[in-house]
Every structure is written in C-alpha cells, then in structure tokens.
RNA sequence: GCGUCCCUAGCUCAAUUGGCAGAGCAACGGACUCUUAAUCCGUAGGUUCCGGGUUCGAUUCCCGGGGGGCGUACCA
C-alpha cells in the first residue's frame, strides 16, 4: 500500500545508512529531559537534551525551525547550518515529519517570543516510513485539515493519538480515573482479585454471551458477562471486601452507550447493604472526577451536572407513577402494550414486567439528568437482589443515572440459598438461552452461608464518558471492534 | 438485525444536466539566516471502495458486494 509514497522515505533511509553511515534505528540514546520540564526551566546557557517526534518544519535556507514533541509537551527547535556539523546538517535534510530525534543545545527565546532549543547536535532515533496526516493549528487555535475519517482513526489509533491531542488527553484521563478507583478501594480495605474470563456457565446478568470452545476439555465455554457469581463465592470464602476491575463481554448490539467488550468494576462488601453502596458510589465518582481534572461541577455534552453528594433518590414505582400519571403496576399487559404503541415505544417484549421496565426507561430513566439513585426495583427485575422486608414485591436495589446514562447497578445481595435457587431455577426455565443450566457451585457457596452483603457494578467506560465529556463509548476505548476490511 | 447517509491523491475537500478528475496542506526540486497554518517559484502524485449493468461516454444513473457514520431494536 502506498509503495510510491513510502519509497521516498525509504530512499532517504538508504541514503542515511549508505552516504552518512548512520544507523536510523539505534538501540539506545542519551538520557533526555522531558520537554515540559525544559519549558518550565526556561532560558539557559547550559545544554539540555530533548527527544521526541518531529511535528513541524519551517525551512529558511541556512536556518530551519522545527517542532519537537514528546509525551509531556512540545517545543520549537532552531537549527542553523552555522551551528550544526556538516554531518548533522545533512541528516537534517533527510528528516521527515514523524521522525523521532534527539537534540542537544541551549534554550533561548526568539524575537517572536517562542522558547526554543538552539540545537548543537541532532541524532536520529527512528526513521518514520509512513506519511501521516498533517494537522496544523493556526494562531487562533483553529485546527486545519483535521482528520474526519473515523474509520481510519479507529483502525490506526496510533495515528489518532499523534494527530489529535484531545484523544490522547482522554485516554490519559481514563487511566487516571481507573487508578483512582483502585486506590479508593485499596485504601478502603478491598482486595482486588481476578476471576475467570472463560466460564463453563455464564451468569450474573441477563445478556447474550460469546461462546467459545475449550479444546482440551472438549467443552463449550463462554466469555463472562459479569463477575458477580464468582465474587460472591469469595465473600462466602471470607474475603469480606473484594473487587474486580476488568472486561465483560456481551454478544449484543453496539450503540452510543454499549460496547460488546466493556470494562466493569464490581465490588462486594460484607456486613454492608445498598445504602453503603450509595455512599461508596458518591465518594468514588467525586474522586474519579478529581482524577480527570474536574471539580464536582462538570459539563457533559453541554449540560452542567453537580456531583456533590448526596444525590437525589427516587423510588422506582413512585417515579414511574409520577412521570406517567398512571398506576401502571395495576395494568394488564394488553393495556401496557396499547400505551407503548401510542407512545411509539418499539420493543419486542410482551410480558408485563419487561414492558414496565421499558416504560420506566421511557418515562424516567432517559430523562434523568442530575445524578440520581433510582431505588427499590421490582423483584421480577432483580433476581440476585435481596427482597425488601417491609414492602412486598420490591428489592433493595438501585441504579445510578446521570445525563440519561445508567452508570451503576447495586443491591443488597440475596443470600437466602433456597430462595435464590428457586428464583434462578424459575428464570432458567423461562429463558431461551440458558437452557436450564444452574450454577450449582454458586448456590453451594450460598448454602455454606454468606453474610449480609452489598454489591455494586459500575460501567467504567460510561464513567469515563461522563468525566471526559465524550458522547460515544467507543471514543473511550482504545481499540474498539471493527470489521475486517478486506479490499 | 432494520432504516438512512457516505466512500474521489497520504490528509481535508471540489468536479454544472452524464462530457478531458481539480485545489489547499503534506511530498519532491529550487530560492530564502528569527519563522510558527512561514513565504515565493516549479514538479509529481488517482484501480474515483470492489464487481456488474445502462450509455457514444459513468466519480455522477441502476443492481449486487465491502467498509464506515448516524438513528433504531435486542442488552434484569
């Protein structure tokens, strides 16, 4: 591909090697100073060494101005035929945008007021053979010729990160958010664990799994859709505070807020309940916002949100009743169906509880803006949650919504082994996919006994969306899935 | 899965009713000792996503395929 284009650079590569005797891919280089630190230190007569990628070149005969960028920042280079050796001047003539170089020189300010390294020596560290898009930013900060081909950028994230500073910044923030979640949990006494990604049975959520074949066992396995049932085994084992941060896989549709491979944080805390989980969520999102350089007041897609605890709490059934103006829970399925048709809510579901859930999405969930805990979900929607004693038909469960996005799901865990078995059995029998398979080992763990426990799952990619003002989940994932492009 | 829009040079985009496929940036050659979207002169660069069809003639119209964007459905 692009053989013609690349041959120009390959020719330069050959000339560097053969005419100048230069190794275009040396194994080592001198220790260099981060460009941000050089900028902070300002002008100096002492020589500094900087390394990075050549991102701009402005030639003026015997003088060349260039831009050098490393992971910390960017700085201008001043290269003069008078200062450089003949060898280095020749090397300069064979450099392209994208090459990685090392320079040594003093730091001064040009007449135009730009902090600049007056290069005494240059060394090629890596010749770039691929011509990348050139995005120029003018004096007003407006980017010109920005790459708009999303396909190209998703397929070559290395280009995206080089060319779009916003993209790089988003992934840096993602990393900081994740490490902040970890340190919050670690310092709160939680133990991080790893449970199987490949599972002989899948559970802990209602989703279509990816299936795979385990050759040496000669058995069908599944990629996990949740970590829940394994983490509760560990609660049974006496790890009272436990969490796992990793990928779950759901073989379902892709849209703005769903990715089949996504990152979830699940945590379980013995001797706690869903009220404790609400406190933890509030603390974690505030800490994560700080990690992303935000205060408790954030802007997401043009709207301001206040993360200051405590968040609003609304009851599932009440909120649906208030928003719809009807007591939908007493309605027959046919009437619910009729209402949904009137409202233009398209769904394949026809059973009462699923339709109520859809109506909840329509009337309540998608309209929630400021951070809100929706509490006390119906039992039928929450097979792994503990039933609320004082009222019938609901569980100690909540979901967190913000800006219309579901961010987390939590409950006081169901720990009654016989009740849990019955619920899972009924569900398995009714399910198309599960084919009646019960996770007996999980139920065995419950039978050994687990204490009252609060658990929560947080959608990390969505949290990153909110805290980095990103509209699409795909833009928070470094390498989103794409079809193979066979030309 | 369904609907809809898109695919032209390395990148961003043009191309009249269907009539020789162009420009800016990048690249190449040249000029230039403080520029910063450097400037000036010149050069080269194309399987118009792929395959068929209609036509004297297709980037353009039709059919099929591929990839992508957006919306939507499934996702306790």
């Amino acid at each position: 591909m692009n053989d013609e284009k690349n041959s120009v650079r390959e020719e330069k590569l050959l000339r560097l090697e053969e005419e100048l005797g230069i190794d275009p891919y040396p194994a080592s280089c001198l220790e260099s100073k981060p460009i941000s630190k050089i900028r902070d230190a300002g002008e100096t007569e002492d020589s500094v060494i900087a390394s990075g990628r050549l991102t701009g070149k402005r030639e003026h005969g015997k003088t060349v101005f260039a831009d050098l960028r490393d992971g910390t920042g960017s700085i201008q280079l001043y290269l003069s035929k008078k200062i450089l050796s003949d060898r280095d001047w020749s090397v300069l003539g064979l450099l392209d945008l994208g090459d990685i170089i090392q320079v040594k020189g003093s730091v001064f300010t040009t007449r135009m007021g730009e902090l600049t390294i007056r290069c005494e020596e240059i060394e090629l560290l890596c010749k770039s053979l691929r011509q990348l898009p050139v995005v120029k930013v003018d004096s007003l900060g407006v980017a010109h010729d920005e790459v708009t081909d999303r396909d190209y950028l998703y397929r070559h994230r290395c280009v995206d990160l080089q060319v779009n500073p916003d993209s790089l910044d988003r992934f840096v923030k993602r990393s900081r958010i994740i490490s902040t979640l970890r340190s919050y949990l670690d310092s709160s006494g939680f133990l991080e664990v790893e449970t199987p990604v490949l599972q002989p049975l899948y559970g802990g959520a209602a989703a279509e799994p990816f299936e795979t074949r385990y050759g040496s066992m000669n058995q069908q396995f599944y990629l996990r859709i949740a970590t829940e049932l394994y983490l509760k085994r560990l609660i049974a084992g006496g790890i009272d505070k436990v969490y796992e941060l990793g990928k779950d896989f759901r073989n379902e549709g892709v849209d703005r807020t769903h990715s089949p491979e996504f990152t979830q944080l699940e945590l379980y805390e013995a001797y706690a309940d869903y009220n404790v989980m609400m406190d933890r969520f509030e603390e974690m999102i505030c800490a994560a916002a700080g990690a992303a350089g935000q205060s408790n007041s954030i802007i997401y897609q043009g709207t301001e949100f206040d993360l200051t605890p405590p968040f609003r709490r609304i009851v599932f059934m009440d909120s649906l009743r208030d928003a719809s103006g009807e007591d939908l829970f007493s309605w027959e399925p046919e009437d619910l169906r009729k209402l949904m048709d009137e409202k233009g809510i398209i769904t394949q579901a026809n059973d009462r509880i699923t339709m109520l859930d859809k109506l909840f999405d329509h009337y309540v969930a998608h309209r929630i803006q400021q951070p809100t805990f929706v509490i006390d979900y119906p039992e039928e929607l929450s097979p792994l949650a503990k039933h609320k004693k004082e009222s019938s038909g609901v569980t100690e469960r909540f979901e967190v919504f913000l800006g219309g996005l579901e961010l987390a799901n939590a409950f006081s865990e169901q720990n009654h082994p016989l009740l849990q078995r019955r619920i899972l059995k009924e569900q398995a029998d009714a399910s198309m996919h599960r084919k009646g398979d019960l996770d007996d080992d999980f139920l065995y763990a419950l039978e050994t006994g687990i204490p009252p426990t609060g658990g929560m799952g947080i959608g990390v990619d969505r949290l990153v969306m909110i805290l980095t003002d990103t509209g699409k989940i795909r833009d928070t994932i470094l390498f989103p899935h794409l079809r193979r492009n066979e030309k």
Side-chain angles (χ1 to χ4, degrees):
Chain A
M1 178 183 188
N2 316 323
D3 288 338
E4 283 304 311
K5 285 283 171 226
N6 290 324
S7 74
V8 174
R9 289 185 177 216
E10 283 178 28
E11 209 172 283
K12 290 180 184 173
L13 180 74
L14 278 178
R15 289 179 59 194
L16 283 160
E17 286 176 313
E18 290 171 5
E19 294 177 17
L20 299 172
I22 281 171
D23 177 1
Y25 302 99
S28 57
C29 58
L30 298 172
E31 190 184 339
S32 52
K33 194 170 177 180
I35 287 173
S36 63
K37 292 228 168 101
I38 294 174
R39 296 195 76 97
D40 291 346
E43 294 188 33
T44 172
E45 289 297 320
D46 300 333
S47 274
V48 298
I49 296 174
S51 303
R53 196 180 288 274
L54 199 62
T55 58
K57 214 177 168 191
R58 295 174 291 282
E59 295 181 86
H60 300 266
K62 296 184 178 67
T63 296
V64 175
F65 286 94
D67 300 315
L68 187 72
R69 188 178 68 207
D70 70 5
T72 69
S74 197
I75 194 165
Q76 179 169 260
L77 306 179
Y78 173 81
L79 302 128
S80 163
K81 193 167 193 289
K82 268 189 177 170
I83 300 172
L84 293 172
S85 67
D86 290 347
R87 176 254 196 199
D88 284 358
W89 184 252
S90 304
V91 170
L92 178 62
L94 294 171
L95 290 184
D96 290 298
L97 297 185
D99 288 350
I100 296 165
I101 61 171
Q102 180 159 79
V103 301
K104 184 179 175 189
S106 57
V107 181
F108 74 109
T109 304
T110 64
R111 271 182 225 158
M112 302 296 288
E114 183 84 22
L115 198 68
T116 301
I117 300 178
R118 181 186 280 109
C119 300
E120 291 143 21
E121 296 170 23
I122 57 177
E123 205 65 56
L124 176 63
L125 300 184
C126 175
K127 183 76 191 154
S128 165
L129 294 183
R130 201 50 96 159
Q131 185 183 5
L132 295 187
V134 177
V135 179
K136 293 189 176 181
V137 179
D138 65 23
S139 49
L140 300 172
V142 179
H144 295 262
D145 296 337
E146 244 176 328
V147 181
T148 57
D149 185 343
R150 300 307 305 167
D151 184 39
Y152 173 59
L153 295 178
Y154 287 137
R155 282 182 201 281
H156 305 287
R157 188 65 90 181
C158 61
V159 175
D160 183 36
L161 295 174
Q162 285 183 45
V163 158
N164 296 318
D166 290 351
S167 183
L168 177 60
D169 182 55
R170 189 181 313 123
F171 290 109
V172 169
K173 284 177 177 164
R174 179 185 170 113
S175 180
R176 291 186 179 144
I177 288 167
I178 288 174
S179 70
T180 297
L181 296 175
R182 276 209 167 88
S183 49
Y184 169 87
L185 291 166
D186 293 343
S187 63
S188 302
F190 283 79
L191 190 75
E192 181 172 11
V193 297
E194 293 171 281
T195 66
V197 173
L198 287 176
Q199 303 179 348
L201 296 169
Y202 59 94
E208 195 70 19
F210 286 90
E211 300 173 5
T212 189
R213 173 132 209 96
Y214 199 142
S216 68
M217 292 206 190
N218 194 25
Q219 257 190 29
Q220 169 113 320
F221 266 65
Y222 305 91
L223 274 67
R224 69 184 180 199
I225 58 173
T227 49
E228 175 151 3
L229 303 186
Y230 283 89
L231 292 174
K232 285 189 199 166
R233 286 163 163 89
L234 298 177
I235 292 287
I239 305 178
D240 287 343
K241 291 178 170 184
V242 67
Y243 74 97
E244 178 160 13
L245 206 168
K247 297 280 187 70
D248 286 344
F249 306 85
R250 297 184 181 175
N251 204 345
E252 279 156 6
V254 180
D255 65 25
R256 215 172 56 249
T257 60
H258 291 85
S259 171
E261 176 176 340
F262 66 104
T263 301
Q264 177 146 241
L265 169 63
E266 283 195 43
L267 58 115
Y268 292 84
E269 180 170 3
Y271 313 107
D273 63 9
Y274 76 151
N275 290 300
V276 175
M277 292 298 113
M278 287 188 238
D279 297 341
R280 294 232 179 258
F281 185 85
E282 288 169 343
E283 288 170 17
M284 287 168 84
I285 194 171
C286 288
Q294 306 256 37
S295 66
N296 279 355
S297 171
I298 61 166
I299 304 281
Y300 181 65
Q301 306 289 291
T303 305
E304 190 174 344
F305 295 98
D306 183 7
L307 301 180
T308 308
F311 296 171
R312 186 169 67 119
R313 297 179 189 197
I314 59 177
V315 175
F316 185 95
M317 289 191 189
D318 296 348
S319 67
L320 181 52
R321 191 180 298 117
D322 294 347
S324 67
E326 302 279 355
D327 187 15
L328 297 173
F329 287 85
S330 60
W331 285 29
E332 295 299 318
E334 308 84 72
D335 299 322
L336 291 173
R337 182 78 250 176
K338 204 178 288 175
L339 176 65
M340 293 179 70
D341 291 342
E342 280 170 22
K343 293 287 170 189
I345 305 169
I346 304 159
T347 176
Q348 293 161 7
N350 267 316
D351 64 289
R352 180 180 155 276
I353 196 66
T354 311
M355 285 194 284
L356 284 171
D357 195 30
K358 291 292 161 202
L359 286 162
F360 169 77
D361 285 345
H362 176 263
Y363 279 109
V364 184
H366 294 325
R367 298 181 183 179
I368 292 176
Q369 289 297 311
Q370 294 301 319
T372 301
F373 293 113
V374 178
I375 65 171
D376 299 350
Y377 276 64
E379 288 174 7
E380 297 96 320
L381 290 173
S382 318
L384 297 164
K386 203 167 187 56
H387 297 184
K388 200 164 181 169
K389 288 235 165 51
E390 59 269 31
S391 27
S392 65
V394 299
T395 56
E396 292 197 357
R397 174 185 171 198
F398 70 83
E399 290 196 351
V400 187
F401 294 89
L402 197 167
L405 272 185
E406 179 196 334
L407 286 183
N409 178 27
F411 27 89
S412 304
E413 303 296 332
Q414 178 58 267
N415 66 344
H416 190 312
L418 301 178
L419 189 53
Q420 183 72 89
R421 179 180 289 276
R422 204 189 74 217
I423 291 168
L424 289 181
K425 182 81 167 61
E426 284 169 5
Q427 193 188 44
D429 290 345
S431 164
M432 305 269 291
H433 311 299
R434 217 165 293 224
K435 300 178 189 77
D437 284 341
L438 271 190
D439 190 337
D440 280 315
D441 188 60
F442 164 65
L443 290 166
Y444 188 101
L446 282 197
E447 284 158 13
T448 72
I450 70 171
T453 297
M456 174 158 60
I458 298 175
V460 173
D461 314 275
R462 288 182 183 174
L463 188 64
V464 173
M465 286 173 71
I466 294 285
L467 297 178
T468 59
D469 194 12
T470 302
K472 289 176 286 184
I473 196 169
R474 180 173 249 210
D475 289 328
T476 69
I477 295 170
L478 277 168
F479 299 101
H481 301 140
L482 292 165
R483 287 194 169 87
R484 281 166 62 178
N485 193 1
E486 289 160 357
K487 289 199 172 169

